[in-house]
Amino acid sequence: MNALLRWMATWPLGWLHVAGSCLGWLSYLLSPTYRRRLRANADLAGLTPAQRREAVTQAGKMAAEAPWLWLRDGTVSPYCRWEGAELIEQAFARGKGLVILTPHLGCFEITARAFAERWGDSKPLTVLYRPSRKAALRELEETARGRPGMATAPATLSGVRQMLRALKRGETIGLLPDQVPPEGMGVWAPFFGREAYTMTLAAKLVRQTGADWLLMWAERLPQGRGYILHVSAPRQPLPGAGEPDSEALQRACARRINEEMERLIMLNPAQYLWGYHRYKTPRPAEAPDAAAAQGSAS
């Protein structure tokens, strides 16, 4: 498998995207579970049939470009065009640390690498990740993500401490806030109208350190022409500035971040990973209905 991935990493990006389009549809047709989940999640957001079909294609492109991103020699900067990079520069000038939030939208894997290539020498980036359960894939991921100017932090208590130290040094961290967190590290909050277990870590880090936070995603251009890296500021700050932490405040912050992610996703909904199991219940966390029932009983 590793040999195949390394061979694919030598392909032109356009070829990978053509192969990925076929791979996306093959996965969709052969997996009833994936097909049902993608349809259900896309329907929640009100996607048209055409957008849903394109989402199948884009998911395949995302999978096929992974070897190119992980194993290819050389930089990705020539394939990237920035929009909103001045917002990052402005955050650096304030010197309070920076939290960048990126949903599973477009080529989310390239955002950290492009950031590290542009600013990593002076402003290192630390990204949160969940190691793969498969040893071979885990080794590939760690090799690919261990780039100059970029460190990785596991989704554990030690990883949280690592990110907190980075922010206190005025550095940058990157998170995927629509990733389902481990049990005990999230709250239930609406996401496209359905309760989703949502991480509290992003908001806690911003509140505890006073760091700035920005939104970023990489739009995948057609025919392998590269990516546009979009950087934007949130429309509203996190609620509860100066208030002590509480479960209610955590839920309000999670709701605000989910709203920002929804806004980004609907800029280009066909490039969101609708097949991601966003609404799963991490065991032994309670589903929202069960939690509500227990609260009523008490």
Side-chain angles (χ1 to χ4, degrees):
M1 176 61 74
N2 286 0
L4 174 62
L5 294 177
R6 292 184 185 281
W7 177 58
M8 292 179 64
T10 66
W11 293 14
L13 187 57
W15 291 12
L16 287 169
H17 284 170
V18 170
S21 299
C22 300
L23 176 64
W25 278 101
L26 186 64
S27 300
Y28 182 82
L29 295 172
L30 294 181
S31 174
T33 300
Y34 172 64
R35 188 164 61 247
R36 285 194 299 268
R37 183 183 299 147
L38 187 148
R39 286 176 173 175
N41 292 349
D43 287 347
L44 282 174
L47 266 66
T48 65
Q51 288 173 325
R52 192 172 65 192
R53 289 192 295 271
E54 181 61 20
V56 174
T57 300
Q58 293 293 333
K61 290 182 178 181
M62 181 210 70
E65 69 196 1
W68 185 88
L69 292 166
W70 291 356
L71 302 171
R72 174 181 172 274
D73 294 329
T75 65
V76 299
S77 297
Y79 297 87
C80 298
R81 174 162 60 88
W82 289 84
E83 291 188 357
E86 68 278 3
L87 296 174
I88 295 176
E89 298 282 2
Q90 291 166 10
F92 289 163
R94 287 188 285 272
K96 298 188 297 182
L98 174 61
V99 177
I100 294 181
L101 303 183
T102 301
H104 288 84
L105 177 65
C107 184
F108 53 90
E109 283 277 359
I110 205 172
T111 56
R113 187 167 170 186
F115 180 101
E117 288 182 8
R118 180 162 180 167
W119 291 291
D121 288 345
S122 59
K123 294 290 182 180
L125 172 69
T126 301
V127 293
L128 182 73
Y129 81 107
R130 186 176 299 175
S132 173
R133 295 179 180 177
K134 297 181 179 180
L137 184 57
R138 183 168 61 248
E139 183 179 352
L140 277 177
E141 289 176 337
E142 291 173 353
T143 300
R145 291 168 177 164
R147 301 277 177 170
M150 181 169 65
T152 56
T156 61
L157 183 58
S158 64
V160 172
R161 291 170 177 161
Q162 180 182 345
M163 290 187 294
L164 188 59
R165 290 193 297 267
L167 287 176
K168 289 181 177 179
R169 292 193 297 266
E171 296 174 1
T172 303
I173 66 167
L175 300 166
L176 276 73
D178 59 337
Q179 187 173 49
V180 179
E183 186 274 331
M185 296 182 67
V187 294
W188 293 98
F191 186 67
F192 287 109
R194 180 178 173 183
E195 293 291 302
Y197 198 63
T198 303
M199 72 162 59
T200 57
L201 178 59
K204 285 182 176 180
L205 290 172
V206 171
R207 286 169 48 79
Q208 289 180 15
T209 65
D212 287 304
W213 61 295
L214 294 172
L215 316 174
M216 181 175 170
W217 70 285
E219 179 184 359
R220 183 181 299 107
L221 298 176
Q223 301 175 353
R225 295 203 304 267
Y227 308 90
I228 301 176
L229 277 69
H230 300 273
V231 182
S232 61
R235 289 189 173 179
Q236 299 183 63
L238 292 175
E243 295 181 14
D245 194 31
S246 66
E247 184 174 349
L249 182 55
Q250 289 179 19
R251 291 180 184 274
C253 289
R255 178 189 291 267
R256 177 65 47 78
I257 289 176
N258 278 354
E259 290 171 350
E260 294 289 349
M261 294 303 103
E262 290 175 8
R263 179 173 64 84
L264 280 193
I265 290 164
M266 294 313 294
L267 294 174
N268 195 330
Q271 290 199 15
Y272 187 64
L273 195 61
W274 296 106
Y276 177 60
H277 199 357
R278 180 65 184 91
Y279 299 100
K280 69 179 179 180
T281 301
R283 297 177 181 178
E286 294 179 303
D289 292 343
Q294 183 179 16
S296 299
S298 61

